[in-house]
Amino acid sequence: MGYGEYSHAAHVALTTARAPRARVFAQPRCHPLMDPRDVARESRDSDDHPDSLGVVFALDVTGSMGDIPRKLASQTLPDFMGALLDAGVRDPQICFVAVGHAGQDNAPLQVGQFESSEVLIDQWLTRLYLEGGGVGGHEAYELAMYFAARKIALDSVDKRGRRGLLFLTGDVAPNPAVSRIEVERVIGDALDADVPIRDMIDELQRTFEPFFLIAPGAPRTIERAWRDLLGDRVVRLEHADDTAHVASGLVALLEGAVPSLGALVGRLGAAGVPRKQAARIARALVPFAASIGRDDAPPPPSRDFDLPRGDPPSGLQR
Amino acid sequence: MNRESWAVVDLGFGDAGKGTVTDFLVRDRSAGLVVRFNGGAQAGHNVVTDDGRHHTFSQFCAGTFAGARGLLGPDFLLHPLGMLVEAEHLQEVGIADPWALTEVSRDARVITPYQQAAGRLREALRGEGAHGTCGVGVGECVADSLFHPDETLRAGDLSNASKVRQFLETQRERKRAELDGLGAEDLSLFEDPGLIDRVIDAWSDVSAHLNLLDRGEVESAIADEPTVIFEGAQGILLDETWGFHPHTTWSDCTFTGALTLAGDRPVKRLGVTRAYSVRHGRGPFPTAGTMPVREEHNVDDGPQGTFRAGVLDAVLLRYATAVCGGIDALAVTCLDHPRPEQFCTAYRTSGGVLRDLAPGEPADLTHRESLGAQLTSIEPVMQGADLLGFAEDATGCQVELESRGPRPRDKAWVRPQG
C-alpha cells in the first residue's frame, strides 16, 4: 500500500536540521531576514527557557579573515549551543551577527534572530552571506556594538539585571567612532552626531559583557588597540578551530561553572578535545582567568591588606 | 472508435502488484493514458521493465516506462517536492522528461510540510494505539480539506506565491496551537522562521513543471483517449469507508473514483491480489504469519512498520469484492513464489464458524471498527485447495491475468482479450 520514500526524502531535505556544509555562506547577498535596517531583536524568557541569557556572536566575514568565517560557521559554531550549555548557561539564546566592511559592502551588518535550538541556529548560519574580498574600508564592528546596545532587548537584563554576552571576532583595529552616516544607511536610525567608540562601549556595557576574540596572526598593535578599550575582555586565539571553546570557556569562567582554568582544561579533555588543542585554549584564556582570580596561580603575598578574590563578575573595569 | 478502459484495484491491504499490472495493461492494450483517481503521494507501485530497470511509482503513473501519459486526477493528494525527488530517479532510469508525460488536475489537493509533520506527530502521540501510516501527511491533508475546506490548497494555487504564503502561515499557527495543546514533542518545524520561504521557492520550481488541467480539460483528456487505464492506489481493505477503522487510509480505494471520471466509457473492473495476502504495518490481519515470503521491493522500514504475509483469506476476499460492488476480472500476481496449498476459508470464533463479514451501512464506521477488533481474536479455518480455483470461488470472478514475476514478460492472459 504505502510508500513514502520520495516525499520523506523531500521532507527531510526541506526541513532538516543542518543544511549541507557547502551551503553555508551560499547566499548571494544579504538575506532579507538578516537585514538590520529598521528592525530590533529580543531575547525573551519562555516556559521552556525561563532563565534566558542572550548571547550574540558577531563574526567578521570580510576577506581578510580568509577561510576562518567559513570554517567557523560550518564546523565550529554549529556546536556552540552545546558548549554554552556545558559551560553552565541554563537557557542560552544565540544570535549570529555578521560584520562586513563599513561604507562599501552590500551587507556591512547582518543580524540573525535569537534561537534556543541548534537546528534553528544552523539555519541562520546558512543564511549568512560571506562578503569576502574588499580592500580598504574597515570592519564595521562598531555597527554590531551599536545594534547590540540599542536594538536588542534582553529579558535577562530587564528581569534579572544580568547582562547578555557579546562576542566579536576579528583582525582589524576598532574604528574611533560610530558613523552616523553608516548607522542611517545600514540600520536606519537618524543620529545627530557620530558616537565616539568609548561612549559606544560604555553604553553597550549596560546590557552586554563584550569580548573581542582576536584572530590568530593579527598584529600585536591590533590587540593593543582593543585592550585599550576592552581590557581583559580581549582574547587572542592561537587557532581559529578553538573559537567556540574559547568563547564558551570565557562564559564558564565568568559564570563560575568551573572553579578554575585547570578544571576547565580537565573538562575539555573529558569532552574529547585533544590535549594539544586544550592547551592552546588554556593559554588563550590565561589572562582573562587571571583577571578574575581563576588562573590557579597562588594569590600574591600581601602584608598590607587582602586583595579581593573571586568576587562576582563585574564586567569591565577599564 | 474503440473505447476501452480498465480500472485496476487492489483487493487486499495494498502491495498486490497494481503497478506492474498497470504497466502490462498499458503495453498489452496500447493504452495512451493512465489516470490516478485516488490516493496520492503515499502510493508505491513497483514496475520492473524487461531490460531490468526498476522504479517505484508514487506520483508518476505506472505506465510511464511503457510510454503512456499520466493524469493525476482531482482527488489526488499531491506532494510537490516528493514529485521532484521521484522525477530525478525517473531520469536516472532513463525517462528523460517525466514531467512532459504528466498532467495534473488543478483541483488536486497539496500536502504541506506542516501536514506531513503533524501527521507523524499525531501518530507518535497515539503510542501503542497507532493506526499505521506512510508518514506522508495524506490523512492530515484530507482531514484539513474536510474540516477546513476554505483552507485547502490545490495544485492550481502553487504558482500563486502570496496565496501560498498566507495559507501556510495560517496553517502553521493553527497546527502549532493544536499540536501544542495535545502535548506533541517536537514542534521545531513550526517554529522554523525560514521554512515557508524555502517551501515557496521549492514549490515554484515544481509548479513550473506541472501541466495543469481544469475540470473540463480533465474530462476531455479522458474522453478523447481510445484506451485508458485507471490505476488505483492502496487497497479495498484500507478504504476510508469499508476498511477496518481506524487502520484505514483517507482515500476511496474502490472503483468509485475511476467510474466517475470515466463518465460514459465502459470500464472493465480488474481486481488484483497476490497468490497470498500481505499487509504493511499495523491493523488486523487474520492469516498473518501462516506462510513465509521473500520480498524485494517492500521492506520493513520507515513509518509504515513491518511487512507481514499469510495465506489467502476467502472471508476477506469475499468482503472486498462485495463492498466494491463486484469485479469483472481477476488478476493474480506473485505466482512465481512458493504456492501454499492450504487456504483460509472461514474463521472460528467463540460464537461458531464465521464465513462472511457483514459490511454494514456506509456511514457506520463503528461497525467496521468492531469487525476489525473481531478479526484479531478469531482463528482461521484452513482447507486444502487449488490456488486459482480458490481465488475464483472467493471473488466470484474468473482469473484473467496471471503474473509470475515483476516484468511485463512474466505476465500472460489466461485467455485472449478482445
Side-chain angles (χ1 to χ4, degrees):
Chain A
M1 124 190 128
Y3 189 75
E5 201 172 296
Y6 307 123
S7 0
H8 181 63
H11 190 69
V12 168
L14 186 74
T15 58
T16 317
R18 200 158 284 185
R21 295 300 194 195
R23 294 184 59 182
V24 169
F25 291 136
Q27 296 296 332
R29 60 193 143 78
C30 180
H31 193 286
L33 290 174
M34 298 197 77
D35 189 345
R37 191 176 178 80
D38 298 327
V39 296
R41 295 288 189 255
E42 300 175 327
S43 164
R44 296 297 184 203
D45 293 348
S46 67
D47 289 347
D48 290 337
H49 304 283
D51 193 18
S52 68
L53 181 68
V55 179
V56 176
F57 199 104
L59 196 57
D60 180 339
V61 294
T62 59
S64 65
M65 295 288 280
D67 198 38
I68 292 175
R70 188 185 304 279
K71 279 175 86 176
L72 286 182
S74 61
Q75 292 166 19
T76 311
L77 292 176
D79 305 315
F80 188 42
M81 172 64 82
L84 285 174
L85 291 167
D86 287 343
V89 179
R90 212 176 121 205
D91 298 322
Q93 296 190 337
I94 301 178
C95 170
F96 282 106
V97 167
V99 173
H101 289 118
Q104 34 176 240
D105 279 358
N106 297 325
L109 188 66
Q110 303 168 66
V111 184
Q113 298 264 16
F114 283 99
E115 301 288 4
S116 315
S117 118
E118 285 191 8
V119 173
L120 300 178
I121 286 167
D122 224 3
Q123 281 160 6
W124 289 109
L125 283 172
T126 308
R127 287 195 189 100
L128 287 180
Y129 161 54
L130 180 60
E131 193 86 54
V135 183
H138 67 273
E139 273 76 334
Y141 305 120
E142 73 282 358
L143 287 180
M145 294 185 192
Y146 178 91
F147 190 92
R150 298 206 181 165
K151 298 291 182 168
I152 292 180
L154 304 169
D155 266 356
S156 66
V157 171
D158 297 345
K159 294 185 179 172
R160 295 180 288 283
R162 182 186 184 201
R163 293 182 295 167
L165 300 163
L166 170 66
F167 293 98
L168 292 150
T169 62
D171 60 349
V172 174
N175 209 33
V178 184
S179 152
R180 56 187 274 268
I181 295 167
E182 277 302 284
V183 167
E184 183 153 8
R185 181 176 81 95
V186 177
I187 300 177
D189 286 1
L191 303 181
D192 293 335
D194 291 358
V195 184
I197 192 73
R198 286 180 188 280
D199 295 356
M200 192 69 254
I201 288 174
D202 284 347
E203 187 184 337
L204 173 68
Q205 286 181 332
R206 288 178 209 150
T207 48
F208 278 96
E209 291 251 22
F211 289 91
F212 197 91
L213 309 181
I214 303 254
R220 286 281 160 192
T221 49
I222 306 290
E223 185 178 337
R224 217 170 296 133
W226 279 105
R227 275 203 196 286
D228 187 36
L229 290 172
L230 292 171
D232 296 316
R233 266 64 177 165
V234 177
V235 175
R236 172 174 279 276
L237 295 169
E238 289 190 30
H239 198 291
D241 288 355
D242 306 339
T243 307
H245 284 302
V246 167
S248 61
L250 289 168
V251 179
L253 289 166
L254 194 63
E255 297 289 321
V258 290
S260 69
L261 197 54
L264 179 70
V265 171
R267 200 141 127 180
L268 289 170
V273 174
R275 183 184 286 266
K276 200 173 152 195
Q277 189 185 6
R280 282 196 319 242
I281 295 165
R283 284 195 297 271
L285 290 171
V286 163
F288 178 73
S291 76
I292 57 170
R294 294 211 161 111
D295 60 344
D296 297 307
S302 167
R303 295 195 195 98
D304 301 322
F305 52 87
D306 286 326
L307 286 173
R309 289 192 65 245
D311 50 351
S314 56
L316 175 74
Q317 301 294 317
R318 200 175 54 231
Chain B
M1 183 172 72
N2 176 30
R3 298 214 302 169
E4 182 180 346
S5 7
W6 293 76
V8 181
V9 155
D10 186 316
L11 295 174
F13 297 106
D15 296 313
K18 297 174 293 296
T20 181
V21 167
T22 299
D23 169 69
F24 172 80
L25 286 175
V26 167
R27 295 172 193 272
D28 188 78
R29 313 310 299 164
S30 306
L33 182 68
V34 174
V35 180
R36 285 287 306 276
F37 59 92
N38 75 330
Q42 83 278 45
H45 295 173
N46 288 294
V47 175
V48 182
T49 60
D50 283 339
D51 61 11
R53 287 175 296 156
H54 166 236
H55 181 75
T56 305
F57 288 93
S58 178
Q59 299 190 82
F60 290 88
C61 293
T64 300
F65 277 140
R69 284 179 300 128
L71 170 57
L72 309 182
D75 289 333
F76 195 82
L77 296 149
L78 192 73
H79 191 298
L81 303 185
M83 268 189 110
L84 213 51
V85 175
E86 185 178 356
E88 279 169 19
H89 185 261
L90 274 169
Q91 283 161 347
E92 285 166 19
V93 292
I95 306 297
D97 188 358
W99 302 99
L101 286 169
T102 302
E103 290 161 333
V104 182
S105 164
R106 285 186 178 278
D107 294 327
R109 287 160 291 181
V110 173
I111 305 169
T112 71
Y114 294 126
Q115 287 166 332
Q116 189 164 2
R120 289 187 186 206
L121 289 170
R122 251 186 251 282
E123 181 81 352
L125 286 168
R126 289 183 192 116
E128 279 302 298
H131 296 169
T133 177
C134 299
V136 175
V138 164
E140 195 79 12
C141 181
V142 175
D144 283 343
S145 68
L146 292 176
F147 302 125
H148 305 276
D150 48 335
E151 286 179 29
T152 303
L153 196 69
R154 299 188 183 269
D157 299 324
L158 284 175
S159 57
N160 183 344
S162 63
K163 180 169 181 178
V164 169
R165 177 180 302 279
Q166 194 183 14
F167 170 89
L168 287 174
E169 283 172 354
T170 309
Q171 187 178 66
R172 176 183 63 193
E173 294 317 311
R174 184 164 54 72
K175 291 215 178 288
R176 171 161 58 182
E178 189 196 351
L179 289 164
D180 200 30
L182 291 171
E185 292 242 325
D186 178 16
L187 292 177
S188 58
L189 181 74
F190 296 85
E191 279 144 19
D192 176 349
L195 181 68
I196 290 182
D197 284 329
R198 299 202 301 280
V199 173
I200 290 173
D201 279 358
W203 278 1
S204 71
D205 290 350
V206 178
S207 164
H209 290 297
L210 294 181
N211 304 308
L212 294 169
L213 304 187
D214 61 31
R215 193 162 306 217
E217 289 170 325
V218 169
E219 281 170 16
S220 52
I222 294 171
D224 296 347
E225 188 64 43
T227 307
V228 180
I229 311 295
F230 292 93
E231 177 188 0
Q234 286 81 51
I236 291 176
L237 297 180
L238 296 169
D239 182 78
E240 59 185 1
T241 304
W242 302 110
F244 304 114
H245 193 73
H247 303 287
T248 55
T249 183
W250 289 77
S251 171
D252 185 327
C253 304
T254 69
F255 294 101
T256 310
L259 297 177
T260 307
L261 286 173
D264 61 353
R265 297 179 72 105
V267 176
K268 196 151 186 186
R269 296 168 299 171
L270 180 67
V272 185
T273 178
R274 289 196 191 198
Y276 47 89
S277 311
V278 290
R279 175 160 204 163
H280 236 130
R282 287 176 173 268
F285 185 2
T287 62
T290 51
M291 64 170 285
V293 70
R294 75 181 152 89
E295 189 63 23
E296 286 171 19
H297 298 141
N298 282 295
V299 284
D300 290 351
D301 62 2
Q304 288 187 72
T306 52
F307 186 80
R308 297 175 287 166
V311 300
L312 278 183
D313 178 335
V315 182
L316 289 182
L317 279 173
R318 277 195 290 270
Y319 177 83
T321 314
V323 298
C324 75
I327 58 176
D328 303 310
L330 184 62
V332 182
T333 62
C334 299
L335 287 166
D336 53 327
H337 293 195
R339 287 195 199 189
E341 289 166 359
Q342 296 268 314
F343 301 95
C344 168
T345 55
Y347 303 144
R348 195 168 290 117
T349 72
S350 51
V353 171
L354 184 67
R355 296 196 169 274
D356 285 289
L357 300 174
E361 289 302 309
D364 192 356
L365 297 185
T366 319
H367 172 68
R368 258 87 63 191
E369 189 169 3
S370 63
L371 285 183
Q374 192 178 10
L375 291 183
T376 60
S377 64
I378 52 88
E379 186 194 331
V381 177
M382 306 285 274
Q383 259 179 29
D386 164 69
L387 171 67
L388 296 181
F390 170 84
E392 290 183 342
D393 282 351
T395 57
C397 185
Q398 288 196 316
V399 175
E400 301 272 355
L401 181 64
E402 297 181 359
S403 171
R404 291 184 166 73
R407 292 165 298 188
R409 69 171 186 227
D410 301 322
K411 292 170 182 58
W413 296 109
V414 174
R415 61 187 69 79
Q417 298 292 307

